[in-house]
Amino acid sequence: MTVLRNLEDRSYVLKDALSHKYLRPVLQHWLSLFSSGHLPARQDMDPAQFAVSMPHISLFDWDESKGDFYCRLAGEDVSNSFIKRLKTHTLAELYDEQRASSIRRLWLHAVREKSILFVLSSFENSDSRLNGRRIILPLQDHKTGAVTIMSVSYYDYDAGYHYDKHLNATPDDYKYVFLNFDELTAQAAFD
């Protein structure tokens, strides 16, 4: 697993996410709701603010009794990138235990640190690289503490067709960047 810590790499990741029409509106809406050190709650998110992004969004709720996230909702493009139907399945049911455990740790870290997690993926194809981007937006109910992860995925390729690349991916195929609210708002990209 590669976590990017270099400031230049981290700035690039944010600018890259903001250049995508499916990622930008969700990211901007999430930031507009972040207040007083509190994460936005799922019910605060207004899909009308990012309607263009809906096919790329999945929601995963934390189930304390299972110690895992389960998929509450998966947009059409996200669903098409998996062989198995996502909705109602836990991470342990969608991935092998090592990958599920790694995703769980990353997502819970994003919640604890009140950070957005940017995930960059890159896979070799016979004649090119296949690149994907995902932003992980932690959400938490202010009263109950219930945790939801909103994931917004964008692929430069047909993720459903290349599903085997995801299954056989190695940790080197992914790069991760955590940015907290202060780091995000300090950048001039949100003018």
Side-chain angles (χ1 to χ4, degrees), residues 12-190:
Y12 166 78
V13 168
L14 179 59
K15 288 176 184 165
D16 181 62
L18 288 170
S19 72
H20 291 278
K21 68 180 180 180
Y22 303 120
L23 303 180
R24 182 183 184 99
V26 183
L27 185 55
Q28 288 182 311
H29 184 60
W30 185 92
L31 281 169
S32 75
L33 296 172
F34 192 101
S35 65
S36 307
H38 294 289
L39 292 171
R42 184 181 70 227
Q43 59 269 28
D44 294 337
M45 298 295 287
D46 178 5
Q49 299 298 314
F50 47 85
V52 68
S53 307
M54 291 304 291
H56 304 275
I57 291 176
S58 56
L59 294 176
F60 285 82
D61 286 342
W62 176 251
D63 183 332
E64 190 68 42
S65 67
K66 293 181 181 178
D68 204 354
F69 287 95
Y70 70 92
C71 185
R72 170 187 202 76
L73 172 131
E76 184 177 358
D77 283 5
V78 177
S79 292
N80 290 342
S81 70
F82 278 80
I83 291 173
K84 180 185 273 194
R85 181 187 146 125
L86 290 174
K87 193 170 178 188
T88 71
H89 285 90
T90 64
L91 292 177
E93 294 167 331
L94 296 170
Y95 299 100
D96 65 61
E97 187 46 43
Q98 182 179 359
R99 171 112 17 107
S101 178
S102 176
I103 293 169
R104 231 178 270 119
R105 277 193 312 275
L106 290 163
W107 288 5
L108 290 171
H109 180 80
V111 173
R112 273 192 312 277
E113 298 300 317
K114 297 180 172 77
S115 297
I116 294 176
L117 171 61
F118 295 86
V119 182
L120 308 172
S121 61
S122 187
F123 307 101
E124 281 295 327
N125 196 20
S126 57
D127 58 349
S128 64
R129 296 226 26 109
L130 307 174
N131 299 303
R133 290 150 191 88
R134 179 173 294 128
I135 53 174
I136 302 300
L137 303 167
L139 306 169
Q140 188 167 32
D141 188 280
H142 304 175
K143 293 178 184 161
T144 67
V147 170
T148 299
I149 293 294
M150 177 179 276
S151 173
V152 189
S153 303
Y154 175 77
Y155 305 101
D156 292 339
Y157 58 93
D158 182 342
Y161 179 78
H162 293 287
Y163 182 74
D164 62 318
K165 301 282 191 226
H166 297 282
L167 288 180
N168 299 317
T170 67
D172 292 338
D173 294 320
Y174 293 93
K175 297 197 179 357
Y176 303 94
V177 175
F178 287 97
L179 291 175
N180 64 36
F181 182 75
D182 292 336
E183 291 172 309
L184 289 162
T185 55
Q187 300 209 25
F190 287 102

